[in-house]
Amino acid sequence: MLKHLVRTLLLLCAVVSLAACSSDSDAPEVQAQTTLNLDLRVVPENIQVQEYKYLTVKFKELNTGFTVTQELKNTNLLKTVLPMGTYHITVEGSIVYGDKFTLIESKVGGVQTGVVINGTEQSKTIDLSLKAESGDLILEEVFFTGTQTPQGAMYFGDQYFKITNNTDQTLYADGMLLIQSAFMTNEKQDYSPNIMGTTFSAGAIIRIPGNGTTYPVLPGSSIIIAEDAINHKEFNPSSINLSQANFQIFKEDSDDIDNPTVPKMINVFEKMVIHTQGYYAYAIARMPPGVTNESLINQNSYTYTYNLTFGGEVYPMDGTAVKIPNQWIKDAVNLSVQDSFQWLVTSPSLDMGWTSVTSFDGDKNRFGKAVRRKVIGKTAEGKDILKDTNNSTADFDHGVKPSLFN
């Protein structure tokens, strides 16, 4: 018995000795970590939160791809330990807000990218916004890249928006606004005033005509808004026929193409020029009764300022946009290019993510590709049910064949 015990102790000592003498290169690398105190605050401040039902916080380190998810219940404060790095942080959840007489349950969301986490301990704040609940028409597809001719030339008059009724009720497209953002997703600036939490800053606005019941859209059906409503195959065999589009974008004071059989979109503010690489956000919205094109511009125009840094010099800049209240917006999508994306130009309440067609700026393989919303099922009538979580990263297939090319 004693001999057996001695032999066992000798073996254990040998194992410890070998471990102690192992090469440093074989030892796992110990990464420095930071204790993060995260405060998740609902904005604007006048929203009286009565209960944080649950919050899901997802961290993704942008260099290594390390991902971790934390779940919170009945609190908006999170204390966690993370490897030091630069993170993309998303928050989604549900709250109850209001006063003691009226309580409302609402989904919330927030996002921050490029968050540097380092040091022993750090505190951060992420703003949460109430999520928009649409129940209306949505942007199913944006074909913004254009096509190439057989000779390799760029052709982009065939761009279009496909807007779809994702509900089980007949809806009307009359009066709906199609909006292009004033700001670009690949160019982040410190714009002042910063009103993104409550409004969408529009750089161009067009409007569907009609008296309220002129243009019904049946459940599962779509309308097409074409840049030029012509048969583009006559000019580029690699393109499509848009002569039967529901609406056309027409700029009166320019040398634009007019199809007299297709209704024109009403130009409300500036000219909408669709960028062939994305770089903007698009939204559809409905104005409240009584708001006219003129009153929208007169009452909601504002001037923003920012400092442009170029070549080591700082240049004060300004611009004019139109404030569209987030409550008016029914759907939004942020577009960009993967290696150029810098920020979302909408509130997270409208869109928590972004989508793209290509991975790098100037990629010629982008032509003839679109972003299309994912199909998650079929109705009893065989119509597609489209994914709509207010997160374009999750909701859209990117770099796919446009549906009208099928």
Side-chain angles (χ1 to χ4, degrees), residues 67-342:
T67 302
V68 66
T69 300
Q70 303 277 355
E71 301 285 346
L72 297 178
K73 287 189 176 182
N74 303 318
T75 181
N76 65 318
L77 302 175
L78 171 64
K79 186 170 186 175
T80 187
V81 178
L82 295 170
M84 292 185 187
T86 303
Y87 284 81
H88 179 75
I89 307 174
T90 58
V91 186
E92 293 187 271
S94 179
I95 66 166
V96 175
Y97 71 97
D99 54 33
K100 62 182 180 180
F101 302 105
T102 305
L103 294 178
I104 302 169
E105 183 172 345
S106 175
K107 293 181 179 179
V108 294
V111 61
Q112 279 192 18
T113 194
V115 180
V116 176
I117 296 176
N118 56 21
T120 304
E121 188 167 357
Q122 203 169 27
S123 296
K124 296 283 186 183
T125 300
I126 293 182
D127 291 338
L128 305 181
S129 302
L130 301 180
K131 281 201 167 189
E133 301 289 342
S134 175
D136 208 316
L137 301 175
I138 62 174
L139 288 158
E140 176 183 348
E141 179 181 348
V142 186
F143 175 51
F144 56 89
T145 61
T147 51
Q148 271 189 315
T149 68
Q151 295 76 30
M154 184 169 65
Y155 184 92
F156 53 87
D158 49 5
Q159 299 157 306
Y160 66 81
F161 298 87
K162 185 177 184 180
I163 297 174
T164 300
N165 182 353
N166 202 37
T167 77
D168 59 358
Q169 305 291 322
T170 296
L171 302 173
Y172 293 89
D174 304 50
M176 178 158 273
L177 303 178
L178 175 60
I179 309 163
Q180 180 177 272
S181 63
F183 309 137
M184 302 177 73
T185 58
N186 68 324
E187 185 181 315
K188 186 175 183 180
Q189 302 289 351
D190 186 15
Y191 295 106
S192 180
N194 184 350
I195 56 176
M196 196 176 294
T198 57
T199 60
F200 182 100
S201 294
I205 307 171
I206 55 180
R207 184 178 181 181
I208 295 175
N211 61 17
T213 57
T214 309
Y215 301 109
V217 185
L218 300 179
S221 297
S222 305
I223 58 173
I224 301 296
I225 300 174
E227 169 64 25
D228 290 321
I230 62 173
N231 183 2
H232 295 276
K233 294 180 74 69
E234 296 179 359
F235 304 93
N236 177 16
S238 301
S239 189
I240 50 174
N241 184 357
L242 288 176
S243 62
Q244 302 299 314
N246 301 93
F247 303 97
Q248 62 179 325
I249 301 173
F250 183 78
K251 307 169 184 69
E252 291 90 349
D253 57 348
S254 59
D255 186 19
D256 208 352
I257 299 173
D258 178 20
N259 182 344
T261 66
V262 177
K264 297 182 183 71
M265 295 290 288
I266 299 168
N267 294 308
V268 178
F269 178 68
E270 297 296 346
K271 295 178 182 178
M272 183 172 291
V273 179
I274 305 168
H275 201 292
T276 62
Q277 298 192 103
Y279 287 150
Y280 288 95
Y282 291 92
I284 52 177
R286 293 191 187 272
M287 295 190 295
V291 179
T292 65
N293 297 341
E294 293 74 19
S295 63
L296 172 68
I297 304 305
N298 292 337
Q299 297 173 17
N300 290 54
S301 292
Y302 81 105
T303 298
Y304 58 85
T305 61
Y306 64 100
N307 290 325
L308 176 65
T309 302
F310 182 77
E313 299 292 332
V314 177
Y315 302 92
M317 307 291 288
D318 61 56
T320 300
V322 175
K323 298 180 290 185
I324 306 295
N326 287 343
Q327 297 95 315
W328 296 7
I329 293 179
K330 303 305 178 183
D331 194 31
V333 54
N334 283 270
L335 302 175
S336 196
V337 172
Q338 291 177 27
D339 68 355
S340 302
F341 173 78
Q342 293 189 19

